[in-house]
Amino acid sequence: MGAAPDLLELLSRALSRADRSLPLATRLCQASATVLGARSAALTVAPTADDRLTVSTADGLAARIEGLGEVIGEGPVQRALSEDHIVVSGADDSRDEHDFPVFSHAVEAITGPGAYHAVPMHADGRVVGVLSLVTSSRTLARGPEDVQLLADTIGLSLLGDLDSLDWAPRAEVHQATGMVTAQLRIPPGDALAVLRAHAYARSTTLDDVAEEVVTRRLSFAYDEEHAVQTLRTDDG
């Protein structure tokens, strides 16, 4: 832990240079990317198993990748949350073909060659989210212990600032899931899978699909052969 003061000093300096008009979560993204030498960073906050929210650096690249992982249902963030360890994908590691086959190909199409790091954030002895980093290689500017310390520091900061985050998109996902549950008469888990599949087929985000369902521009029904079909309208 001897490197802790140095690391936290670097984080403080990076935060002090960030635009103070931006939300704390966004500034923490920018600061972590600076300290760890990443192209982009995102913070996925998950205070409970059913609630997740992702914020990102201004370019939105890491958040876009995390959104893709949520739609696909696989990827480093999901594994870091569930297994509580640092997960790295990309930059010529053949294991990704077996671990995250769809995710790895989709990410490379977005970013080109590079790596995606997912670091669990801890607070009060539990995982409260994930720090995600887009880099050119599987090596960050600091070692694993420093990376974990930085992520945990950020996790503690965010846990005390949850009320400042915009949870409205996630509330819409919950509402849309309930609406599809009623439309198709299926369990909520299956309804969420329908929303994810639709988002993936349209190359959009789960949040965008949920917004269309909640505003009644998109709904789901069964056709004569009991296959799920989508119904679209321009009327909100």
Side-chain angles (χ1 to χ4, degrees), residues 22-212:
L22 296 173
L24 174 62
T26 303
R27 287 185 282 130
L28 285 169
C29 277
Q30 294 178 343
S32 62
T34 298
V35 172
L36 298 177
R39 291 172 53 193
S40 180
L43 299 173
T44 298
V45 186
T48 70
D50 296 325
D51 291 306
R52 289 174 57 179
L53 179 69
T54 298
V55 294
S56 178
T57 48
D59 66 0
L61 178 61
R64 181 182 174 191
I65 295 173
E66 160 50 10
L68 176 65
E70 185 178 13
V71 167
I72 294 173
E74 69 173 39
V77 170
Q78 283 75 6
R79 182 164 296 181
L81 280 171
S82 63
E83 298 183 5
D84 188 10
H85 62 84
I86 298 174
V87 182
V88 185
S89 173
D92 301 323
D93 192 315
S94 60
R95 290 175 297 180
D96 298 335
E97 297 295 325
H98 304 288
D99 291 344
F100 317 116
V102 179
F103 176 87
S104 297
H105 282 95
V107 169
E108 186 170 357
I110 295 172
T111 66
Y116 193 70
H117 306 250
V119 188
M121 300 185 296
H122 301 93
D124 298 330
R126 61 188 177 92
V127 178
V128 295
V130 173
L131 167 63
S132 305
L133 302 151
V134 179
T135 62
S136 58
S137 73
R138 294 179 72 90
T139 303
L140 292 166
R142 308 285 295 209
E145 290 187 3
D146 283 356
V147 172
Q148 187 62 70
L149 174 61
L150 187 69
D152 291 345
T153 300
I154 291 172
L156 282 169
S157 299
L158 287 178
L159 200 62
D161 197 48
L162 291 180
D163 291 342
S164 71
L165 303 178
D166 181 10
W167 290 90
R170 305 315 295 176
E172 281 193 330
V173 171
H174 289 306
Q175 185 179 351
T177 300
M179 292 173 69
V180 175
T181 294
Q183 292 166 6
L184 298 178
R185 300 180 299 282
I186 56 177
D190 293 347
L192 183 58
V194 169
L195 292 172
R196 284 174 169 159
H198 188 74
Y200 183 65
R202 292 183 55 209
S203 299
T204 188
T205 67
L206 181 61
D207 290 349
D208 286 345
V209 172
E211 192 269 339
E212 287 188 299

